[in-house]
Amino acid sequence: MIDIKQVTKVYHTKKKTVTGVKNVSLTIHKGDVFGIVGYSGAGKSSLLRCINMLERPSSGTISVDGMEMTKLKGEALRQQRLKIGMIFQHFYLINQKTVYENIAFALRAAGASSDKIPSRVEELLRVVELSDKRDVYPAQLSGGQKQRVGIARALSNNPTVLLCDEATSALDPTTTQSILRLLKSLNKELGLTIVLITHEMGVVKEICNRMAIMQDGEVVEHGNVYDLFAEPKNTLTKEFITNVVSFDVPEETLAKCTGTIIKVMFQGSSAGEGIIGDMLQEVDVRGNFLHGAIEYIEGKPLGIFILELTGDPEQVNQAMDYIQKRHVRVEVISHGY
Ligand SMILES: Nc1ncnc2c1ncn2[C@@H]1O[C@H](COP(=O)(O)OP(=O)(O)OP(=O)(O)O)[C@@H](O)[C@H]1O
């Protein structure tokens, strides 16, 4: 669907040359909600804007729906871009136009015939659940409502791809949830492929099925969201995941622990308990459960336990080996004394 091959984007300013994207290759499948995560300056916007040629890659190729975007220019590029909608953090609505006119404007700009515009605008307003706001101006809308207008406008030409540039970063958590729900339903009902960039792993956990993590212009890890949550390999991926998968063991409890504190992550909702139970019978250590939770990612359970192990250091190591051998991920949070 979207094929990104060895894309590099170099910016030349008067003072310096900056490489925003370094040799990135990614495939985004039809129907994916694909999250690109990274800290500020990682290259997320640059890569996203290369997909619809708002930025032209310095090298490499990008194909959307089998059409090589990097080869297109002028009218051919304009036509292909109609298949790619885009929404932004700051909405970019026209303040002097009503909600209706904002959407109609996008339709006119794309060449829609004027007799089709009214019904199409009404239809789009229904899709984003904003029919009652058709005649108000952007200043009278909340952030979430503005983004709904942005989404309606982006959908006006029936795109197959929607690019979301930090689309929920300016919104409060509840409004963020409602926009994410809307995006997910568009993905399911219209079969829309969505690529979103964000620095919030919570957004990815909420709606994405696949993701890539970027750092210094490079993709450091990518794959299925569940798999990366269950078994992240890169340090940065682990850091982002730790930010959203909470282990609320109070500091006072941790301070009282003298043993080795480990985090055990297992796929499924009950497998981990059995493995830990078996381990405690086989190995001469004591285990004290400090925290347990089941997170749901893409509707699939991912179990997390925080456990204090006490006993002879060699036995503690053996206990961890035992768990690891059963294909359950173990991380040491702090070593005992
Ligand atoms: N138009 C530009 N001219 C020069 N440098 C740029 C330009 N756009 C981006 N850069 C540089 O490219 C690098 C990647 O920036 P980019 O905006 O793609 O990162 P990002 O991950 O989207 O960050 P943020 O989350 O802050 O938007 C940064 O070092 C940035 O300064």
Side-chain angles (χ1 to χ4, degrees):
M1 168 93 212
I2 303 176
D3 251 324
I4 300 171
K5 285 198 187 128
Q6 297 179 327
V7 163
T8 291
K9 173 68 193 175
V10 181
Y11 297 102
H12 300 281
T13 62
K14 275 185 194 157
K15 288 191 180 150
K16 55 181 181 175
T17 297
V18 181
T19 307
V21 178
K22 291 180 200 160
N23 198 25
V24 166
S25 295
L26 279 177
T27 301
I28 296 165
H29 305 134
K30 185 169 169 47
D32 271 350
V33 181
F34 195 99
I36 301 173
V37 189
Y39 290 123
S40 189
K44 308 180 295 292
S45 289
S46 301
L47 181 62
L48 191 79
R49 292 160 72 88
C50 281
I51 294 176
N52 61 355
M53 297 292 117
L54 280 181
E55 297 286 0
R56 241 173 214 284
S58 311
S59 61
T61 61
I62 296 188
S63 301
V64 176
D65 267 344
M67 185 70 84
E68 199 173 316
M69 301 294 291
T70 23
K71 276 191 179 157
L72 301 177
K73 285 197 181 114
E75 183 54 22
L77 177 59
R78 207 182 77 84
Q79 286 304 322
Q80 184 66 6
R81 264 196 192 136
L82 293 179
K83 293 186 185 170
I84 308 171
M86 189 162 187
I87 57 173
F88 305 88
Q89 179 177 1
H90 298 298
F91 325 119
Y92 299 129
L93 304 181
I94 307 167
N95 289 328
Q96 297 74 18
K97 291 185 187 289
T98 63
V99 166
Y100 177 95
E101 289 162 347
N102 262 280
I103 302 168
F105 183 79
L107 283 161
R108 264 195 298 279
S113 66
S114 39
D115 58 321
K116 299 246 166 67
I117 289 176
S119 61
R120 180 72 181 136
V121 176
E122 300 293 350
E123 187 188 343
L124 288 162
L125 285 173
R126 270 196 302 279
V127 170
V128 299
E129 294 171 10
L130 218 56
S131 299
D132 57 331
K133 299 287 180 196
R134 85 188 279 288
D135 297 318
V136 308
Y137 288 87
Q140 297 163 271
L141 297 174
S142 69
Q145 290 166 338
K146 285 181 193 166
Q147 193 55 288
R148 283 171 188 268
V149 181
I151 293 170
R153 185 184 53 188
L155 295 179
S156 57
N157 302 303
N158 285 317
T160 52
V161 176
L162 180 67
L163 306 180
C164 308
D165 189 348
E166 297 279 4
T168 55
S169 296
L171 306 176
D172 64 58
T174 310
T175 314
T176 293
Q177 289 301 320
S178 81
I179 294 295
L180 295 180
R181 271 199 301 275
L182 173 61
L183 292 175
K184 191 75 191 171
S185 79
L186 295 172
N187 163 256
K188 282 206 172 124
E189 280 155 35
L190 308 178
L192 192 65
T193 302
I194 297 179
V195 186
L196 62 86
I197 62 169
T198 182
H199 54 269
E200 292 174 64
M201 195 64 133
V203 168
V204 172
K205 179 172 167 264
E206 202 63 37
I207 64 164
C208 296
N209 64 317
R210 296 179 66 233
M211 69 171 167
I213 292 95
M214 287 190 77
Q215 183 176 35
D216 295 332
E218 290 175 303
V219 168
V220 294
E221 195 165 4
H222 66 97
N224 289 335
V225 171
Y226 187 89
D227 296 345
L228 291 187
F229 266 76
E231 279 193 69
K233 295 195 174 55
N234 184 273
T235 321
L236 184 65
T237 317
K238 287 181 189 168
E239 196 175 303
F240 271 107
I241 288 168
T242 305
N243 288 342
V244 283
V245 180
S246 57
F247 321 104
D248 293 327
V249 184
E251 280 297 318
E252 308 88 74
T253 309
L254 287 177
K256 281 186 202 148
C257 294
T258 51
T260 299
I261 299 172
I262 61 169
K263 181 169 78 186
V264 182
M265 292 176 92
F266 53 92
Q267 301 185 25
S269 57
S270 60
E273 270 171 85
I275 291 170
I276 292 169
D278 291 351
M279 178 276 287
L280 291 173
Q281 292 210 329
E282 293 284 322
V283 187
D284 186 18
V285 287
R286 282 179 306 283
N288 175 27
F289 281 97
L290 301 174
H291 180 77
I294 308 284
E295 292 278 343
Y296 283 84
I297 295 149
E298 287 187 74
K300 284 187 276 178
L302 179 66
I304 300 150
F305 285 141
I306 308 282
L307 193 67
E308 181 192 16
L309 296 177
T310 41
D312 183 76
E314 213 167 285
Q315 296 293 313
V316 169
N317 282 339
Q318 244 184 52
M320 287 192 290
D321 277 354
Y322 184 97
I323 300 171
Q324 259 157 352
K325 279 193 185 124
R326 307 278 288 266
H327 306 292
V328 172
R329 210 177 109 228
V330 182
E331 264 175 42
V332 174
I333 295 181
S334 70
H335 284 284
Y337 300 101

